[in-house]
Amino acid sequence: MFEKPEQTEIAVIGAGPAGVAAAVTAARAGAQVVLLDESPRAGGQYYKQPAFGADETQSAADFPAPSAIADNIRKGRELLADLEHPKITFRNSTLVWNVLPEERILNLYGPHGAQTLQAQRIIFAAGAYERLMPFPGWTKPGVCTVGGAQLLLKSQGLKIGQRLLLAGTGPLLQLAAVQFLEAGMEVAAILELQSRKEFLLNAPKLWGHWDKLGQGMANQKRLLKAGIPFKFGYSVAEALGEEEVNGAMIMKVNAKAEPIPGSEETLEVDTICLNFGFVPAIELPRVAGCATVFDEYFSSFAIATNKDLETDVSGFFATGETGGIGGVEVALLEGKLAGAAASRQLGYAPEINELALQKEQQQARKAVATLGTMFPLKSGLTKLATDEVPVCRCEEVSAGDVRRAIAMGVTQLNQLKPWTRAGMGRCQGRICGGIMSQIIAHETGMTLNEIQPFTARTPIKPVPMEAVSGVEDSGEFTWEDHVGYGEART
Amino acid sequence: MNKLEADVIIIGGGIIGCATAYNLIKKGLDVLLIERNGIGSGATGRSGGGIRQSARVSNEIPLAMESVALFPGLSDELGIDIEYTRSGNFRLVEMPDHRRPMQVDIARQQSHGLDVSWLGVTDVLELAPGLRWQNILGASYCPEDGHCDPLRMVSGFYHKAKEDGLKVLLNSDVQNIQQMDNGQAEVETNTHSLKAAKIVIAAGFGSQELCRKIGLDLPLQNVRYESMITEPLPPILSQMFGVASSDLFFRQTQNGGIHFGGGLIEEENEEDTRTTGDNLKMAVAHISRLVKDLGKANLLRTWGGLDPSTPDGMPILDFLNENVLLATGFCGHGLALGPMVGRYLAEWLATDQCPEALEPFKRNRFDGWLQTKWTPSGAFAADLATEATQTSGTGTVGSGIAFMTPPEYDDAESADQQKLLAVNPEMCTGCRMCESACSIEHEKIMRQTGLRIQVAYPSDDYFLPIMCIHCEDTHCMEACVYDALEINDYGIVTVIEDNCIACMLCIPACPTGGITFVDSKETVVKCNLCGGDPVCARYCPTQAITFRAIDTNMREKMDDFMSKNLDSRIDR
């Protein structure tokens, strides 16, 4: 922090659809852009590119993936081709672990160690995490997120298991099930938390959003044809198996998503994939001091933005999922808008019809919001997490510990920390924060918007001490340990 | 508006508030605790967890010894494992300049009956093999000290008190405190109106504001403390560690994380729990120098916030009026005192008799204290300031540097004379307040290296602040070959940082040692008189350093003093 940081005009954090769109738009307008991403390849989770290793010439068609995924990869590759722009520097495998809002400095840690980057405008496009709900056995090997299983397929062409159970709520379940089927995996069942009645009552809301409706219908049809049971009003209640999953107990749930005793059934599966929607990754903007807003459609906190997607901290923009769950269309539109607004503030003239884009973006947001209302989050499901079930995995805090703290008067996530150490481990509450706020909501009758998320703390993800201090730790230095010593002499 | 009544209302759910509540409940009183955030969310949550008696101000040592004696039984008493280990406390000495003051300080602590001793580096390494020997000269060691988990401890007191009938108002912010005609006092919060005979203010950094509400302005200043923790590591350290310069503490928690932090930065009275980038970097670099192989470990989380401090490094425990008892200003070392202070305060509230042990902490010790902005300082420095005897040191002493009888200053000042810093070593107590002030003024952080002013300890009873005395000969400028030093409008030599390549030719050229090298800046630094209001003179408690007009007579004396010094250097 004393050495002079590297300078750029615009820094974009996250190379998913939103980040790539923002970087490309700003660079085409003439601004110098640095695009940062934690993973080795651009594309984000949605346009995840396969890990071909050194052989980048291999075409997407050769990739052993089902057509739905190959199609996705091809689309992503087309988008990423735009990154080949002289004004864009893409810094992969680089974690942004801190932001100093006054100076607009980002602290980076990547292949070249610790670095600092000072940008005149900063665009957050960090995407979202999957939301999980705990139940007995959810920490066993064999339980994973739907997105995690998809990633394995997209990036490595690997199957997560032989016989899968998909559980949760939302349209991703069907979409992923189709991909898994095409990849040659067996899908035992899909469990949707919402009841059939509610779903059918809500379905007309999609009137007019033909593409969404069409997509859903096509997936449904495909699954029906394969004879996969799609169970409304069900949830997975327990992961069975000694050391790893070899089966799942499923249960019917009522309108509040509370499990109905006596409705237990057992399925033989080797993998349980979960998805209860998404939570925006907003740690970095919150460290920068950006105000949050509660996204009631997806029951999560997101960053508040104006129509230029600028946050209340001037010079900082939030796009895509960071500003509320929106999906890929919203991300692409908002990326363009933020890239245009940021470059315009720096005196460039982006060649983009912003008014038309804004209109399109609002429509897209509305459509996604409709989807959100169809798959509401219900805290009754926390009943599945009996007192002995761990909810904070890093610090090994059980649901019972959390409930006891609530009984003693805790009403906020931050207040849980001194009692239970929950949220103080490696994940910093990214996984457990959402779960515990639901437990608080269920136990106290509060609504989720009253329960603030854990305070975002620097570093937002664990980072080596030497990256923070800038002083490399060589340990007890000996010549034998010195890499390349032998080669140098011969 | 909801109304509630109790015998005692406690404002603040930190360690002091909770321990007092617990002891009052044990005495059978009806107690209500108000907390605006969460239990232990203030300074208690930012505590380092050190449970120590050593390295304290003399007046605090008896209280600390009593309190530490309670700790072994605390886990059983509270019914929660507070992770207390009595593994000893080290105060590491990293710089030769700190060795002698530390040994003087150890003798002082021993005179209070404390089992504390000086250990050389080999002895330190034997007890704490996780340290890097390269950067340690020795340490003070107190085997009776230890550490615990502050959050578990505070929630233990709170749980136990709540089980026994403590009434609690969480998420409630006190707006006003008023005395009523019937001898009771009224507390208004944003949700409730409460009445009680006695009110305890133990609100940490919010206490100053509450005191002002009842018309009292006490010398409390909120100071920023920051904590950091690494991921769980295999056990490498069992003791509690501090450093002689008071700007770092560290310990390994029971689940393996290295919990460290410290750093004092002057801060406005606003609560911001984020950490500041510079301090984080300094603290991480500092601990990496002291503990082996820490560079590859992951840093997990950092947090920070305010804690009130007093000028003498001791808390204020006193009644502000018939109803309101204040217990705050623990200056970052209140955790270990908590259990005993809680007992005494409960006794005081129940009997209306100030316990003997709390007499030194009354607020009347600040009567006549000038309400000026002051620089907070660690207990170590404050103690030296009060205890060091003032003796005259003249003649040639110490490490070959020649000292002469200090110049006699006359107070005649005239406006057209240039004002410069004048030092009177006879007045200097070696408290190093000037170092802290200078460091905070220029670097925004309390540091012990690369200082523009540094107090030398040539002998046990002779202290001398060393800095640029702005001589007319400007040997430094002659030595500089890169034009990095120039005489500014005020007539003093300043460093042009862009030109300086840190060749350090000017450092030996200066006869007083007024130029130092700062590795973080990669330039040399020297006194620039703070642009006309030097903080060292402003904060010097004994006026050993003064900013005054210098006449020809004095100029000559100073030059004479210097030339002797220069000669002695050349001789060597």
Side-chain angles (χ1 to χ4, degrees):
Chain A
M1 292 152 208
F2 295 107
E3 64 271 15
K4 292 200 176 71
E6 187 191 328
Q7 303 288 324
T8 186
E9 286 183 315
I10 296 176
V12 183
I13 302 161
V20 170
V24 169
T25 313
R28 283 184 180 162
Q32 192 71 46
V33 182
V34 174
L35 177 64
L36 301 150
D37 199 287
E38 209 184 339
S39 56
R41 287 169 300 280
Q45 310 299 357
Y46 189 82
Y47 288 131
K48 193 81 177 178
Q49 295 298 302
F52 286 134
D55 188 13
E56 290 287 350
T57 53
Q58 199 173 355
S59 76
D62 303 333
F63 185 62
S67 61
I69 283 183
D71 195 40
N72 209 355
I73 291 169
R74 189 181 45 74
K75 272 191 201 158
R77 186 166 285 198
E78 279 166 21
L79 180 76
L80 296 180
D82 293 343
L83 285 180
E84 298 294 328
H85 192 283
K87 289 273 186 187
I88 299 177
T89 318
F90 176 48
R91 303 271 281 274
N92 60 346
S93 308
T94 302
L95 169 71
V96 183
W97 57 269
N98 188 24
V99 52
L100 306 171
E102 286 85 22
E103 303 92 332
R104 292 185 196 157
I105 288 178
L106 301 172
N107 288 115
L108 316 178
Y109 180 65
H112 309 295
Q115 282 170 316
T116 48
L117 176 69
Q118 188 164 29
Q120 293 170 35
R121 296 290 180 274
I122 291 169
I123 300 175
F124 295 113
Y129 306 111
E130 279 180 280
R131 199 198 304 264
L132 291 169
M133 292 299 277
F135 50 85
W138 76 295
T139 53
K140 279 190 187 126
V143 182
C144 69
T145 65
V146 171
Q150 276 184 305
L151 279 194
L152 213 53
L153 196 57
K154 285 182 194 174
S155 66
Q156 313 274 345
L158 290 178
K159 299 172 191 171
I160 186 105
Q162 294 307 315
R163 197 171 148 80
L164 275 52
L165 171 68
L166 273 68
T169 182
L172 181 70
L173 294 177
Q174 289 183 32
L175 180 76
V178 172
Q179 292 175 351
F180 296 155
L181 271 181
E182 284 183 357
M185 287 178 260
E186 208 179 321
V187 177
I190 302 172
L191 309 182
E192 169 60 54
L193 197 61
Q194 318 299 334
S195 71
R196 185 187 291 275
K197 199 173 126 198
E198 273 176 296
F199 186 77
L200 291 178
L201 276 175
N202 276 324
K205 286 186 190 163
L206 277 178
W207 187 263
H209 303 305
W210 305 118
D211 53 334
K212 294 249 175 335
L213 211 54
Q215 231 172 44
M217 298 281 268
N219 288 337
Q220 279 273 15
K221 210 167 150 188
R222 179 82 181 70
L223 293 172
L224 261 172
K225 208 168 141 196
I228 290 165
F230 192 92
K231 289 171 178 277
F232 280 107
Y234 267 91
S235 181
V236 57
E238 191 178 343
L240 306 171
E242 278 297 307
E243 282 184 351
E244 52 179 18
V245 173
N246 61 19
M249 194 189 43
I250 63 172
M251 267 171 115
K252 258 188 193 159
V253 296
N254 65 15
K256 286 188 211 156
E258 289 164 354
I260 300 166
S263 63
E264 292 91 346
E265 288 172 47
T266 312
L267 293 175
E268 204 173 295
V269 292
D270 60 8
T271 307
I272 301 170
C273 298
L274 302 168
N275 180 288
F276 291 87
F278 295 90
V279 190
I282 55 171
E283 293 82 15
L284 209 52
R286 284 180 66 220
V287 169
C290 301
T292 55
V293 61
F294 188 72
D295 174 5
E296 49 191 302
Y297 305 116
F298 291 90
S299 308
S300 54
F301 281 90
I303 299 300
T305 54
N306 63 15
K307 69 173 171 32
D308 276 343
L309 302 169
E310 192 167 1
T311 66
D312 66 334
V313 182
S314 77
F316 287 85
F317 296 76
T319 64
E321 318 286 34
T322 340
I325 299 307
V328 66
E329 289 93 354
V330 170
L332 286 168
L333 289 166
E334 293 197 346
K336 278 183 198 159
L337 279 168
S343 54
R344 188 158 33 82
Q345 284 186 5
L346 296 175
Y348 298 102
E351 287 170 10
I352 265 184
N353 185 348
E354 283 182 63
L355 277 177
L357 272 182
Q358 269 168 11
K359 206 173 153 195
E360 228 180 299
Q361 173 242 352
Q362 276 157 17
Q363 277 170 354
R365 276 262 176 220
K366 222 167 130 188
V368 177
T370 314
L371 265 183
T373 54
M374 289 177 66
F375 300 100
L377 204 60
K378 295 165 182 174
S379 58
L381 200 63
T382 57
K383 273 198 155 180
L384 278 178
T386 44
D387 279 356
E388 75 287 351
V389 173
V391 289
C392 168
R393 301 172 70 157
C394 307
E395 293 288 340
E396 295 173 358
V397 179
S398 71
D401 295 335
V402 174
R403 292 198 178 103
R404 273 188 289 281
I406 295 167
M408 292 296 277
V410 166
T411 54
Q412 290 293 333
L413 286 181
N414 280 331
Q415 294 171 358
L416 269 176
K417 283 185 178 179
W419 307 84
T420 61
R421 302 192 56 82
M424 290 164 85
R426 280 189 172 85
C427 92
Q428 291 293 295
R430 278 191 293 274
I431 305 297
C432 58
I435 296 169
M436 285 184 294
S437 56
Q438 298 235 30
I439 297 181
I440 295 177
H442 190 251
E443 300 291 318
T444 62
M446 289 164 78
T447 49
L448 284 172
N449 60 348
E450 293 170 324
I451 303 164
Q452 291 295 320
F454 280 120
T455 312
R457 298 286 188 203
T458 305
I460 61 154
K461 283 184 185 171
V463 60
M465 299 270 274
E466 59 187 11
V468 181
S469 65
V471 184
E472 200 175 323
D473 188 354
S474 51
E476 304 293 334
F477 185 78
T478 58
W479 279 110
E480 283 76 18
D481 294 340
H482 188 56
V483 180
Y485 175 62
E487 287 99 56
R489 287 186 68 185
T490 49
Chain B
M1 185 153 294
N2 297 313
K3 292 198 176 190
L4 278 171
E5 261 184 71
D7 294 338
V8 182
I9 290 176
I10 297 174
I11 305 170
I15 183 62
I16 301 300
C18 290
T20 309
Y22 165 75
N23 283 293
L24 284 170
I25 293 275
K26 270 210 320 203
K27 286 183 186 294
L29 273 80
D30 184 18
V31 189
L32 191 148
L33 186 121
I34 308 174
E35 165 59 49
R36 71 169 159 196
N37 198 345
I39 297 303
S41 62
T44 306
R46 299 187 268 278
S47 158
I51 304 301
R52 59 180 170 82
Q53 313 150 80
S54 58
R56 281 181 187 274
V57 185
S58 297
N59 278 327
E60 243 181 43
I61 291 179
L63 189 62
M65 286 167 82
E66 277 186 274
S67 198
V68 167
L70 297 177
F71 272 83
L74 217 51
S75 286
D76 289 338
E77 190 180 341
L78 301 177
I80 179 172
D81 180 14
I82 64 165
E83 300 184 357
Y84 175 63
T85 48
R86 183 171 277 197
S87 48
N89 178 71
F90 281 111
R91 203 113 195 264
L92 304 172
V93 171
E94 300 164 89
M95 269 164 275
D97 277 4
H98 293 158
R99 190 186 339 224
R100 195 187 290 271
M102 179 57 84
Q103 286 167 350
V104 171
D105 201 50
I106 288 171
R108 170 187 66 87
Q109 294 175 47
Q110 283 168 342
S111 73
H112 293 280
L114 200 61
D115 179 8
V116 56
S117 51
W118 169 263
L119 294 187
V121 62
T122 43
D123 295 332
V124 174
L125 265 291
E126 203 157 293
L127 288 165
L131 298 177
R132 277 183 203 277
W133 62 269
Q134 292 94 332
N135 300 319
I136 296 162
L137 298 171
S140 89
Y141 176 61
C142 176
E144 297 285 291
D145 291 349
H147 56 89
C148 79
D149 186 330
L151 290 177
R152 282 178 163 268
M153 181 169 148
V154 68
S155 47
F157 275 110
Y158 175 78
H159 273 270
K160 198 78 186 163
K162 193 146 189 253
E163 271 172 29
D164 298 344
L166 174 71
K167 289 187 277 186
V168 185
L169 212 53
L170 285 177
N171 307 318
S172 198
D173 198 2
V174 174
Q175 312 284 335
N176 205 5
I177 303 172
Q178 271 178 319
Q179 279 184 295
M180 297 194 304
D181 295 338
N182 63 358
Q184 280 196 314
E186 189 184 29
V187 177
E188 268 177 47
T189 76
N190 52 353
T191 51
H192 289 72
S193 167
L194 316 148
K195 285 188 189 70
K198 295 278 190 289
I199 314 261
V200 181
I201 300 181
F205 64 91
S207 305
Q208 172 80 314
E209 211 183 311
L210 292 175
C211 290
R212 286 191 181 134
K213 285 202 167 114
I214 41 179
L216 275 170
D217 208 1
L218 292 168
L220 289 166
Q221 180 154 330
N222 287 338
V223 171
R224 172 165 281 273
Y225 284 76
E226 297 185 345
S227 278
M228 299 110 202
I229 195 161
T230 68
E231 63 189 340
L233 298 172
I236 47 174
L237 305 166
S238 63
Q239 297 89 347
M240 180 79 204
F241 296 87
V243 293
S245 51
S246 320
D247 54 4
L248 180 79
F249 71 82
F250 56 97
R251 69 179 182 113
Q252 188 167 28
T253 63
Q254 216 161 74
N255 82 340
I258 307 276
H259 177 190
F260 64 105
L264 308 172
I265 302 168
E266 253 188 309
E267 190 81 10
E268 297 304 308
N269 287 8
E270 90 183 82
E271 167 82 323
D272 182 353
T273 60
R274 285 178 290 177
T275 41
T276 45
D278 287 0
N279 189 45
L280 172 65
K281 180 171 173 159
M282 303 282 290
V284 172
H286 197 166
I287 192 174
S288 305
R289 282 203 299 275
L290 292 172
V291 183
K292 275 185 201 164
D293 302 328
L294 215 50
K296 305 288 181 206
N298 279 326
L299 182 70
L300 210 60
R301 185 160 36 92
T302 63
W303 64 105
L306 304 177
D307 194 20
S309 290
T310 60
D312 60 358
M314 297 201 304
I316 302 175
L317 308 170
D318 201 356
F319 269 95
L320 300 180
N321 55 34
E322 297 78 49
N323 303 103
V324 182
L325 176 63
L326 178 70
T328 193
F330 283 84
C331 315
H333 32 92
L335 187 77
L337 302 179
M340 203 63 221
V341 167
R343 262 192 204 195
Y344 279 135
L345 290 183
E347 189 187 318
W348 196 349
L349 288 160
T351 61
D352 272 330
Q353 276 279 307
C354 174
E356 180 86 35
L358 297 191
E359 285 292 345
F361 304 105
K362 287 199 162 171
R363 71 192 153 102
N364 58 13
R365 69 183 194 270
F366 296 120
D367 286 353
W369 176 265
L370 290 171
Q371 278 297 322
T372 49
K373 210 177 171 202
W374 53 277
T375 308
S377 151
F380 178 52
D383 222 78
L384 280 172
T386 51
E387 299 233 340
T389 48
Q390 291 183 13
T391 49
S392 63
T394 51
T396 308
V397 283
S399 52
I401 307 168
F403 289 96
M404 58 172 282
T405 315
E408 282 168 21
Y409 302 137
D410 47 36
D411 282 345
E413 281 187 23
S414 79
D416 56 326
Q417 275 173 332
Q418 195 185 19
K419 279 176 92 179
L420 290 175
L421 287 167
V423 177
N424 185 350
E426 287 209 342
M427 303 284 281
C428 180
T429 60
C431 73
R432 298 161 67 210
M433 204 73 109
C434 46
E435 288 183 7
S436 312
C438 180
S439 180
I440 287 171
E441 170 75 16
H442 293 285
E443 308 292 338
K444 309 286 173 243
I445 195 161
M446 192 127 123
R447 290 206 319 213
Q448 305 297 329
T449 56
L451 295 170
R452 291 156 176 83
I453 183 167
Q454 200 140 22
V455 180
Y457 296 79
S459 75
D460 278 357
D461 50 8
Y462 189 84
F463 311 105
L464 180 72
I466 292 175
M467 74 282 214
C468 172
I469 65 165
H470 308 287
C471 61
E472 286 172 336
D473 296 341
T474 59
H475 301 286
C476 49
M477 280 180 71
E478 282 167 30
C480 183
V481 292
Y482 291 96
D483 294 334
L485 295 166
E486 60 161 12
I487 295 186
N488 71 0
D489 301 342
Y490 192 72
I492 58 167
V493 179
T494 47
V495 182
I496 307 169
E497 288 186 7
D498 289 345
N499 288 3
C500 180
I501 61 145
C503 66
M504 305 197 214
L505 284 174
C506 53
I507 293 176
C510 176
T512 58
I515 303 185
T516 36
F517 168 65
V518 179
D519 43 358
S520 57
K521 270 191 165 165
E522 294 184 354
T523 65
V524 296
V525 294
K526 70 178 285 299
C527 172
N528 64 353
L529 295 178
C530 300
D533 182 16
V535 288
C536 50
R538 208 190 325 157
Y539 292 120
C540 180
T542 61
Q543 297 191 321
I545 307 171
T546 44
F547 188 55
R548 54 164 68 216
I550 307 271
D551 57 17
T552 6
N553 180 28
M554 202 153 82
R555 181 92 255 176
E556 270 172 24
K557 282 185 178 175
M558 280 167 72
D559 284 351
D560 182 38
F561 166 73
M562 283 226 314
S563 64
K564 279 190 183 168
N565 204 348
L566 189 61
D567 292 344
S568 74
R569 282 200 180 202
I570 291 166
D571 289 347
R572 276 192 293 148

